[in-house]
Amino acid sequence: MGLELDSVDRGILHLLQQDARHNTATDIADEVDVTPNTVRNRIGRLEDAGIINGYVPVIDYERTDKSMHVIVQCTVPIHEREELAETALAIDGVVAVREVMTGRRNLRIDLVAGDTDEITAAVSRLQRQGIDVGEQELLKAEHRQPFDHFGADTAGD
């Protein structure tokens, strides 16, 4: 069972999802009506519990020299899914891997590349690792937002 979250925890999570880089402990404290020290302690507790397990930038790859973002749908043996997910992450260009609870297409791999040759090379490396590559989809855009049930009502606007 996970850590029980109260309204302060949910507000902190909501604000960190909105903008972890620019929301300081003081900013968050003002929004959830606690002290900045309480916010820092709560964030530490959420990190220790594994609820917050990292802070990563959201990169618009289209504005970089890796302008092609491809979603590769793969099938792997269920008992090897986790191991092959880790293996896929080690391949150049792979930026995310999702383990999906299905029999087929149970590994979804996001990779970025500068051109089709880089995509082909990355997909070939995936196949050499024993990953059965299915569909490859070129991503046009991705839109994100914080999960609003984590304290949008607690954190204000």
Side-chain angles (χ1 to χ4, degrees), residues 11-32:
I12 290 168
L13 290 172
H14 178 77
L15 291 165
L16 288 175
Q17 285 182 110
Q18 275 187 323
D19 189 354
R21 180 176 179 164
H22 295 107
N23 273 324
T24 67
T26 302
D27 297 333
I28 294 170
D30 290 344
E31 291 290 327
V32 297

Side-chain angles (χ1 to χ4, degrees), residues 23-137:
N23 273 324
T24 67
T26 302
D27 297 333
I28 294 170
D30 290 344
E31 291 290 327
V32 297
D33 200 29
V34 295
T35 67
N37 196 43
T38 298
V39 169
R40 285 187 285 276
N41 289 339
R42 293 291 187 101
I43 289 173
R45 185 175 64 106
L46 292 166
E47 289 171 343
D48 290 345
I51 293 170
I52 297 173
N53 58 31
Y55 302 86
V56 297
V58 177
I59 297 171
D60 182 349
Y61 293 106
E62 193 169 324
R63 296 178 183 261
T64 73
D65 63 341
K66 302 294 184 189
S67 61
M68 301 181 86
H69 187 161
V70 179
I71 299 168
V72 183
Q73 297 195 31
C74 307
T75 302
V76 298
I78 292 172
H79 65 280
E80 295 179 35
R81 184 174 44 211
E82 185 175 357
E83 179 185 340
L84 288 170
E86 291 295 325
T87 298
L89 274 175
I91 292 174
D92 287 343
V94 173
V95 295
V97 179
R98 293 178 194 90
E99 294 181 48
V100 183
M101 299 297 291
T102 62
R104 293 192 35 76
R105 296 193 175 137
N106 58 4
L107 207 59
R108 301 218 175 116
I109 299 171
D110 287 18
L111 69 92
V112 295
D115 57 35
T116 56
D117 289 341
E118 286 183 25
I119 294 169
T120 300
V123 168
S124 293
R125 285 192 294 276
L126 290 168
Q127 290 172 323
R128 284 195 300 272
Q129 296 299 323
I131 297 172
D132 179 16
V133 173
E135 290 184 26
Q136 300 172 46
E137 302 168 327

